[in-house]
Amino acid sequence: MKKDDCIFCKIAAGEIPSAKVYEDENVIAFRDIAPQAPVHVVFIPKDHVLSSADDITEDNAKIIADIFVAIKKTAESLGLENGYRIINNCGEDGAQSVKHIHFHLLGGKKLPERIV
Ligand code: AMP
């Protein structure tokens, strides 16, 4: 399922170029265009099944497990053996800018202990 006005759907469809670092049947991951750490990768479901974490239910939650498995594999392949951070911004107060659920993988340096 693809939403025509969604930038991440266009990336998943190959209509907008991206620096892809991971792909499987359901998930793709690409370098964030405005990196906030030496390694900053965005993981998305290929299909626009969820707009935000607020849409997760018992019935559709498997894709979240798929994404976390993809994150773990990618962290390993990118050499983040010393640790990393996973972030999901949800909704207006969470400062989510792209309404296609995604998780940020950040690492490659000691990250700040606080975000506010
Ligand atoms: P969020 O603010 O959590 O919705 O995250 C959206 C992220 O997508 C931001 O970190 C943006 O820098 C990133 N982003 C937006 N457009 C692109 C793009 N074309 N390629 C890669 N990353 C993008």
Side-chain angles (χ1 to χ4, degrees):
M1 180 184 37
K2 175 173 175 279
K3 269 187 84 179
D4 285 342
D5 59 345
C6 173
I7 189 167
F8 285 176
C9 283
K10 288 182 180 156
I11 287 175
E15 294 165 11
I16 291 179
S18 68
K20 219 181 284 176
V21 295
Y22 178 89
E23 180 166 14
D24 64 30
E25 192 186 343
N26 301 316
V27 178
I28 65 163
F30 48 88
R31 305 260 183 197
D32 197 290
I33 205 167
Q36 297 186 45
V39 174
H40 185 172
V41 176
V42 179
F43 290 76
I44 66 169
K46 284 181 174 173
D47 288 340
H48 197 116
V49 280
L50 305 167
S51 295
S52 80
D54 206 35
D55 293 336
I56 298 170
T57 67
E58 287 83 356
D59 291 336
N60 63 29
K62 183 181 177 296
I63 188 64
I64 306 303
D66 292 344
I67 288 172
F68 272 70
V69 171
I71 290 173
K72 184 241 156 134
K73 288 180 182 169
T74 306
E76 193 175 348
S77 71
L78 294 179
L80 302 182
E81 63 279 334
N82 214 34
Y84 49 87
R85 183 170 293 162
I86 301 165
I87 291 179
N88 169 257
N89 295 325
C90 178
E92 204 56 36
D93 282 1
Q96 180 182 1
S97 62
V98 180
K99 309 297 190 268
H100 177 140
I101 194 169
H102 55 280
F103 292 81
H104 300 259
L105 168 65
L106 297 154
K109 70 170 189 182
K110 172 83 174 161
L111 297 167
E113 289 181 13
R114 294 175 176 273
I115 59 163
V116 289

